[in-house]
């Protein structure tokens, strides 16, 4: 059983930065693809960034390209999301997820409890 705990959320002014962390336990993180998702009130869940299990290939939503960076540290069983130049529309609950493949993150992955990010204008 994999357990994921997100941290690093908070309130920040527009233009600021935050770094989210997702620490895992129960399995070896190097076995998994990882991703960050977010959901704002009244909106559907959105895939923000993903990183593959092999090769560490990253992909980003168009809305965050150039501003967010996903990084994994297999030695620490942790995945990070560095968020720069934050905008009010980035306000959401952010979730991390892990799965065997990027394609199965939403359908067959393990999820954390989420961390709130609020960007004030």
């Amino acid at each position: 059983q994999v357990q994921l705990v997100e941290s690093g959320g908070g309130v920040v002014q527009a233009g600021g930065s935050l770094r989210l962390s997702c620490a895992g336990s129960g399995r070896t993180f190097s076995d998994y693809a990882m991703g960050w998702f977010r959901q704002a009130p009244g909106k559907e869940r959105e895939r923000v960034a993903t990183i593959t299990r092999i090769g560490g290939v990253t992909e980003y939503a168009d809305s965050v390209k150039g501003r967010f960076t996903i990084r994994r540290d297999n030695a620490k069983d942790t995945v990070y999301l560095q968020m720069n130049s934050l905008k009010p529309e980035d306000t959401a609950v952010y979730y991390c997820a892990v799965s065997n493949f990027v394609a199965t993150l939403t359908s067959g992955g393990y999820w954390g409890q989420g961390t709130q990010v609020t960007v004030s204008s």
Side-chain angles (χ1 to χ4, degrees):
Q1 183 73 14
V2 175
Q3 292 185 330
L4 303 173
V5 178
E6 299 101 334
S7 61
V11 180
V12 63
Q13 287 189 334
S17 299
L18 284 174
R19 188 180 77 161
L20 305 183
S21 300
C22 175
S25 61
R27 286 286 300 271
T28 302
F29 249 35
S30 60
D31 292 340
Y32 293 112
M34 302 173 183
W36 285 95
F37 297 76
R38 67 186 181 187
Q39 188 164 21
K43 295 187 177 180
E44 293 187 355
R45 183 174 58 191
E46 176 187 19
R47 179 179 295 190
V48 176
T50 59
I51 186 166
T52 59
R53 174 169 57 98
I54 298 174
V57 178
T58 58
E59 290 189 9
Y60 298 91
D62 288 342
S63 57
V64 307
K65 279 182 182 176
R67 300 188 298 122
F68 290 12
T69 302
I70 186 171
R71 182 176 68 86
R72 64 189 298 159
D73 186 337
N74 290 337
K76 295 183 178 180
D77 287 341
T78 300
V79 60
Y80 303 96
L81 185 68
Q82 178 67 44
M83 306 185 295
N84 299 327
S85 301
L86 283 161
K87 305 175 181 180
E89 51 263 43
D90 295 318
T91 295
V93 177
Y94 283 72
Y95 301 89
C96 70
V98 301
S99 185
N100 290 334
F101 306 100
V102 168
T104 58
L105 281 170
T106 53
S107 61
Y110 296 95
W111 288 73
Q113 83 289 349
T115 185
Q116 175 71 47
V117 172
T118 302
V119 184
S120 62
S121 57

